[in-house]
Amino acid sequence: MESVALVAPVTALEFAGDVLLAGTGPEVVAFRLSGGGPATAAGRRSVLREASVQGLRAEPAPGPAARVAVFGGRWLAVLAVRRGGAGAGPLLAACGGGAARELRARVWEARWAAGGRLALALGGGTVALYEWWGGGRWLRQASCGGAGALRCAVLAGSAVPGSPAHSGG
């Protein structure tokens, strides 16, 4: 059995199939859970530049790899996580240009939306739909109103009102 020391506090956890992801400082550490035995360390990647990982959100899609949004402070990155025991190559790989992007406000929450886009709750009271691939592009925004800054949020569902994927209900 392999022993792994995490030197920073664990600030986020997420499952991507048989892989458990842990945010520790600016890094994401992956543990493989398949095989019926104890979890084994399977990969580590420095993801965020100047912030600790505060959230990890795996895209709920089938397939041999999952995309995972990684966010903390004003930073956002998307990783590809290879699921299952088969396949060659790294378990954790960068998507969409590879580098973390610094956004205009703190990211409090991220949720995968239709079309592989991200719904983001940002500090300052803004909720936005963000196309993360390529150079990144803001598609739609709404202000939550009020005088105070947004300090926490929970986003639910995957459809955006007014979009073709939303059924109106």
Side-chain angles (χ1 to χ4, degrees):
M1 172 172 33
E2 181 181 349
S3 177
V4 177
L6 298 176
V7 295
V10 174
T11 54
L13 291 170
E14 179 76 333
F15 284 99
D18 66 341
V19 178
L20 173 63
L21 301 169
T24 62
E27 294 186 330
V28 174
V29 182
F31 298 92
R32 177 96 43 211
L33 302 176
S34 61
T40 57
R44 178 183 298 252
R45 186 174 186 98
S46 183
V47 180
L48 300 183
R49 295 179 186 184
E50 301 168 6
S52 290
V53 174
Q54 294 299 308
L56 299 160
R57 297 293 175 268
E59 184 177 25
R67 290 185 295 207
V68 176
V70 181
F71 57 94
R74 297 167 67 110
W75 294 91
L76 173 70
V78 176
L79 292 179
V81 178
R82 189 172 32 85
R83 298 187 272 214
L91 182 69
L92 301 173
C95 289
R101 295 193 186 109
E102 186 174 14
L103 303 180
R104 63 177 179 243
R106 181 184 181 102
V107 180
W108 287 106
E109 174 66 294
R111 185 72 54 193
W112 288 96
R117 296 176 169 109
L118 286 166
L120 302 173
L122 303 170
T126 302
V127 177
L129 184 61
Y130 185 71
E131 191 171 83
W132 60 270
W133 57 86
R137 184 168 67 119
W138 299 101
L139 300 174
R140 178 175 252 174
Q141 303 175 63
S143 175
C144 295
L150 183 64
R151 299 262 186 254
C152 68
V154 174
L155 299 170
S158 61
V160 178
S163 71
H166 188 260
S167 62

PDB file of all heavy atoms in Angstrom, residues 106-126:
ATOM      1  N   ARG A 106     -14.312  36.964  -7.552  1.00  0.00           N
ATOM      2  CA  ARG A 106     -14.165  35.678  -6.879  1.00  0.00           C
ATOM      3  C   ARG A 106     -15.258  34.714  -7.338  1.00  0.00           C
ATOM      4  O   ARG A 106     -16.410  35.091  -7.475  1.00  0.00           O
ATOM      5  CB  ARG A 106     -14.268  35.888  -5.376  1.00  0.00           C
ATOM      6  CG  ARG A 106     -14.101  34.611  -4.606  1.00  0.00           C
ATOM      7  CD  ARG A 106     -14.294  34.828  -3.109  1.00  0.00           C
ATOM      8  NE  ARG A 106     -14.109  33.583  -2.436  1.00  0.00           N
ATOM      9  CZ  ARG A 106     -13.001  33.237  -1.784  1.00  0.00           C
ATOM     10  NH1 ARG A 106     -12.008  34.081  -1.695  1.00  0.00           N
ATOM     11  NH2 ARG A 106     -12.897  32.062  -1.208  1.00  0.00           N
ATOM     12  N   VAL A 107     -14.859  33.470  -7.573  1.00  0.00           N
ATOM     13  CA  VAL A 107     -15.809  32.424  -7.960  1.00  0.00           C
ATOM     14  C   VAL A 107     -16.256  31.723  -6.680  1.00  0.00           C
ATOM     15  O   VAL A 107     -15.454  31.089  -6.003  1.00  0.00           O
ATOM     16  CB  VAL A 107     -15.165  31.409  -8.932  1.00  0.00           C
ATOM     17  CG1 VAL A 107     -16.182  30.333  -9.311  1.00  0.00           C
ATOM     18  CG2 VAL A 107     -14.627  32.110 -10.166  1.00  0.00           C
ATOM     19  N   TRP A 108     -17.538  31.846  -6.346  1.00  0.00           N
ATOM     20  CA  TRP A 108     -18.083  31.197  -5.151  1.00  0.00           C
ATOM     21  C   TRP A 108     -18.634  29.817  -5.451  1.00  0.00           C
ATOM     22  O   TRP A 108     -18.652  28.939  -4.600  1.00  0.00           O
ATOM     23  CB  TRP A 108     -19.172  32.046  -4.518  1.00  0.00           C
ATOM     24  CG  TRP A 108     -18.636  33.250  -3.829  1.00  0.00           C
ATOM     25  CD1 TRP A 108     -18.704  34.542  -4.264  1.00  0.00           C
ATOM     26  CD2 TRP A 108     -17.930  33.288  -2.586  1.00  0.00           C
ATOM     27  NE1 TRP A 108     -18.072  35.370  -3.364  1.00  0.00           N
ATOM     28  CE2 TRP A 108     -17.595  34.627  -2.321  1.00  0.00           C
ATOM     29  CE3 TRP A 108     -17.536  32.320  -1.675  1.00  0.00           C
ATOM     30  CZ2 TRP A 108     -16.902  35.027  -1.186  1.00  0.00           C
ATOM     31  CZ3 TRP A 108     -16.848  32.712  -0.543  1.00  0.00           C
ATOM     32  CH2 TRP A 108     -16.539  34.050  -0.303  1.00  0.00           C
ATOM     33  N   GLU A 109     -19.128  29.621  -6.672  1.00  0.00           N
ATOM     34  CA  GLU A 109     -19.723  28.331  -7.032  1.00  0.00           C
ATOM     35  C   GLU A 109     -19.655  28.166  -8.543  1.00  0.00           C
ATOM     36  O   GLU A 109     -19.700  29.149  -9.288  1.00  0.00           O
ATOM     37  CB  GLU A 109     -21.177  28.268  -6.549  1.00  0.00           C
ATOM     38  CG  GLU A 109     -21.971  27.050  -6.972  1.00  0.00           C
ATOM     39  CD  GLU A 109     -21.487  25.740  -6.384  1.00  0.00           C
ATOM     40  OE1 GLU A 109     -20.361  25.319  -6.732  1.00  0.00           O
ATOM     41  OE2 GLU A 109     -22.222  25.116  -5.617  1.00  0.00           O
ATOM     42  N   ALA A 110     -19.543  26.938  -8.990  1.00  0.00           N
ATOM     43  CA  ALA A 110     -19.565  26.599 -10.417  1.00  0.00           C
ATOM     44  C   ALA A 110     -20.434  25.369 -10.591  1.00  0.00           C
ATOM     45  O   ALA A 110     -20.469  24.491  -9.734  1.00  0.00           O
ATOM     46  CB  ALA A 110     -18.159  26.329 -10.937  1.00  0.00           C
ATOM     47  N   ARG A 111     -21.155  25.330 -11.688  1.00  0.00           N
ATOM     48  CA  ARG A 111     -22.007  24.180 -12.005  1.00  0.00           C
ATOM     49  C   ARG A 111     -21.960  23.996 -13.516  1.00  0.00           C
ATOM     50  O   ARG A 111     -21.992  24.970 -14.259  1.00  0.00           O
ATOM     51  CB  ARG A 111     -23.436  24.456 -11.550  1.00  0.00           C
ATOM     52  CG  ARG A 111     -24.391  23.319 -11.696  1.00  0.00           C
ATOM     53  CD  ARG A 111     -24.170  22.203 -10.725  1.00  0.00           C
ATOM     54  NE  ARG A 111     -24.153  22.656  -9.347  1.00  0.00           N
ATOM     55  CZ  ARG A 111     -23.733  21.927  -8.323  1.00  0.00           C
ATOM     56  NH1 ARG A 111     -23.319  20.707  -8.513  1.00  0.00           N
ATOM     57  NH2 ARG A 111     -23.724  22.400  -7.116  1.00  0.00           N
ATOM     58  N   TRP A 112     -21.870  22.759 -13.970  1.00  0.00           N
ATOM     59  CA  TRP A 112     -21.888  22.485 -15.394  1.00  0.00           C
ATOM     60  C   TRP A 112     -23.279  22.736 -15.937  1.00  0.00           C
ATOM     61  O   TRP A 112     -24.274  22.313 -15.347  1.00  0.00           O
ATOM     62  CB  TRP A 112     -21.438  21.056 -15.679  1.00  0.00           C
ATOM     63  CG  TRP A 112     -19.971  20.893 -15.465  1.00  0.00           C
ATOM     64  CD1 TRP A 112     -19.355  20.426 -14.336  1.00  0.00           C
ATOM     65  CD2 TRP A 112     -18.936  21.251 -16.366  1.00  0.00           C
ATOM     66  NE1 TRP A 112     -17.988  20.462 -14.492  1.00  0.00           N
ATOM     67  CE2 TRP A 112     -17.704  20.964 -15.734  1.00  0.00           C
ATOM     68  CE3 TRP A 112     -18.914  21.786 -17.652  1.00  0.00           C
ATOM     69  CZ2 TRP A 112     -16.476  21.190 -16.350  1.00  0.00           C
ATOM     70  CZ3 TRP A 112     -17.686  21.998 -18.262  1.00  0.00           C
ATOM     71  CH2 TRP A 112     -16.495  21.707 -17.615  1.00  0.00           C
ATOM     72  N   ALA A 113     -23.362  23.424 -17.061  1.00  0.00           N
ATOM     73  CA  ALA A 113     -24.626  23.732 -17.729  1.00  0.00           C
ATOM     74  C   ALA A 113     -24.649  23.023 -19.079  1.00  0.00           C
ATOM     75  O   ALA A 113     -23.654  22.432 -19.505  1.00  0.00           O
ATOM     76  CB  ALA A 113     -24.765  25.241 -17.916  1.00  0.00           C
ATOM     77  N   ALA A 114     -25.789  23.111 -19.761  1.00  0.00           N
ATOM     78  CA  ALA A 114     -25.945  22.484 -21.069  1.00  0.00           C
ATOM     79  C   ALA A 114     -24.862  22.969 -22.025  1.00  0.00           C
ATOM     80  O   ALA A 114     -24.404  24.105 -21.943  1.00  0.00           O
ATOM     81  CB  ALA A 114     -27.335  22.807 -21.633  1.00  0.00           C
ATOM     82  N   GLY A 115     -24.440  22.094 -22.911  1.00  0.00           N
ATOM     83  CA  GLY A 115     -23.440  22.454 -23.905  1.00  0.00           C
ATOM     84  C   GLY A 115     -22.025  22.496 -23.366  1.00  0.00           C
ATOM     85  O   GLY A 115     -21.135  23.044 -24.008  1.00  0.00           O
ATOM     86  N   GLY A 116     -21.786  21.936 -22.177  1.00  0.00           N
ATOM     87  CA  GLY A 116     -20.449  21.930 -21.610  1.00  0.00           C
ATOM     88  C   GLY A 116     -19.977  23.292 -21.140  1.00  0.00           C
ATOM     89  O   GLY A 116     -18.796  23.521 -20.962  1.00  0.00           O
ATOM     90  N   ARG A 117     -20.911  24.209 -20.907  1.00  0.00           N
ATOM     91  CA  ARG A 117     -20.558  25.535 -20.396  1.00  0.00           C
ATOM     92  C   ARG A 117     -20.629  25.512 -18.880  1.00  0.00           C
ATOM     93  O   ARG A 117     -21.105  24.564 -18.278  1.00  0.00           O
ATOM     94  CB  ARG A 117     -21.508  26.565 -20.976  1.00  0.00           C
ATOM     95  CG  ARG A 117     -21.363  26.666 -22.481  1.00  0.00           C
ATOM     96  CD  ARG A 117     -22.363  27.620 -23.065  1.00  0.00           C
ATOM     97  NE  ARG A 117     -22.046  27.885 -24.447  1.00  0.00           N
ATOM     98  CZ  ARG A 117     -22.772  27.440 -25.457  1.00  0.00           C
ATOM     99  NH1 ARG A 117     -23.838  26.706 -25.240  1.00  0.00           N
ATOM    100  NH2 ARG A 117     -22.424  27.728 -26.691  1.00  0.00           N
ATOM    101  N   LEU A 118     -20.177  26.586 -18.251  1.00  0.00           N
ATOM    102  CA  LEU A 118     -20.195  26.681 -16.795  1.00  0.00           C
ATOM    103  C   LEU A 118     -21.079  27.829 -16.337  1.00  0.00           C
ATOM    104  O   LEU A 118     -20.963  28.947 -16.855  1.00  0.00           O
ATOM    105  CB  LEU A 118     -18.778  26.899 -16.257  1.00  0.00           C
ATOM    106  CG  LEU A 118     -17.876  25.678 -16.302  1.00  0.00           C
ATOM    107  CD1 LEU A 118     -16.422  26.074 -16.090  1.00  0.00           C
ATOM    108  CD2 LEU A 118     -18.306  24.660 -15.252  1.00  0.00           C
ATOM    109  N   ALA A 119     -21.950  27.540 -15.381  1.00  0.00           N
ATOM    110  CA  ALA A 119     -22.684  28.584 -14.681  1.00  0.00           C
ATOM    111  C   ALA A 119     -21.850  28.942 -13.460  1.00  0.00           C
ATOM    112  O   ALA A 119     -21.415  28.062 -12.720  1.00  0.00           O
ATOM    113  CB  ALA A 119     -24.065  28.083 -14.269  1.00  0.00           C
ATOM    114  N   LEU A 120     -21.585  30.234 -13.269  1.00  0.00           N
ATOM    115  CA  LEU A 120     -20.724  30.688 -12.184  1.00  0.00           C
ATOM    116  C   LEU A 120     -21.450  31.689 -11.309  1.00  0.00           C
ATOM    117  O   LEU A 120     -22.125  32.585 -11.818  1.00  0.00           O
ATOM    118  CB  LEU A 120     -19.468  31.369 -12.749  1.00  0.00           C
ATOM    119  CG  LEU A 120     -18.596  30.544 -13.691  1.00  0.00           C
ATOM    120  CD1 LEU A 120     -17.495  31.419 -14.281  1.00  0.00           C
ATOM    121  CD2 LEU A 120     -18.018  29.349 -12.970  1.00  0.00           C
ATOM    122  N   ALA A 121     -21.321  31.550 -10.003  1.00  0.00           N
ATOM    123  CA  ALA A 121     -21.776  32.560  -9.046  1.00  0.00           C
ATOM    124  C   ALA A 121     -20.524  33.317  -8.627  1.00  0.00           C
ATOM    125  O   ALA A 121     -19.574  32.722  -8.109  1.00  0.00           O
ATOM    126  CB  ALA A 121     -22.447  31.909  -7.844  1.00  0.00           C
ATOM    127  N   LEU A 122     -20.514  34.603  -8.884  1.00  0.00           N
ATOM    128  CA  LEU A 122     -19.327  35.420  -8.662  1.00  0.00           C
ATOM    129  C   LEU A 122     -19.550  36.422  -7.547  1.00  0.00           C
ATOM    130  O   LEU A 122     -20.679  36.870  -7.315  1.00  0.00           O
ATOM    131  CB  LEU A 122     -18.976  36.190  -9.951  1.00  0.00           C
ATOM    132  CG  LEU A 122     -18.754  35.331 -11.194  1.00  0.00           C
ATOM    133  CD1 LEU A 122     -18.663  36.212 -12.431  1.00  0.00           C
ATOM    134  CD2 LEU A 122     -17.500  34.502 -11.042  1.00  0.00           C
ATOM    135  N   GLY A 123     -18.465  36.805  -6.881  1.00  0.00           N
ATOM    136  CA  GLY A 123     -18.537  37.872  -5.899  1.00  0.00           C
ATOM    137  C   GLY A 123     -19.033  39.136  -6.579  1.00  0.00           C
ATOM    138  O   GLY A 123     -18.864  39.322  -7.778  1.00  0.00           O
ATOM    139  N   GLY A 124     -19.678  39.996  -5.816  1.00  0.00           N
ATOM    140  CA  GLY A 124     -20.256  41.198  -6.402  1.00  0.00           C
ATOM    141  C   GLY A 124     -21.695  40.989  -6.828  1.00  0.00           C
ATOM    142  O   GLY A 124     -22.319  41.880  -7.383  1.00  0.00           O
ATOM    143  N   GLY A 125     -22.229  39.797  -6.582  1.00  0.00           N
ATOM    144  CA  GLY A 125     -23.642  39.558  -6.852  1.00  0.00           C
ATOM    145  C   GLY A 125     -23.983  39.236  -8.286  1.00  0.00           C
ATOM    146  O   GLY A 125     -25.083  39.508  -8.738  1.00  0.00           O
ATOM    147  N   THR A 126     -23.079  38.626  -9.031  1.00  0.00           N
ATOM    148  CA  THR A 126     -23.335  38.290 -10.429  1.00  0.00           C
ATOM    149  C   THR A 126     -23.375  36.782 -10.614  1.00  0.00           C
ATOM    150  O   THR A 126     -22.571  36.058 -10.042  1.00  0.00           O
ATOM    151  CB  THR A 126     -22.226  38.872 -11.341  1.00  0.00           C
ATOM    152  OG1 THR A 126     -22.178  40.284 -11.161  1.00  0.00           O
ATOM    153  CG2 THR A 126     -22.485  38.567 -12.800  1.00  0.00           C
TER     154      THR A 126
END
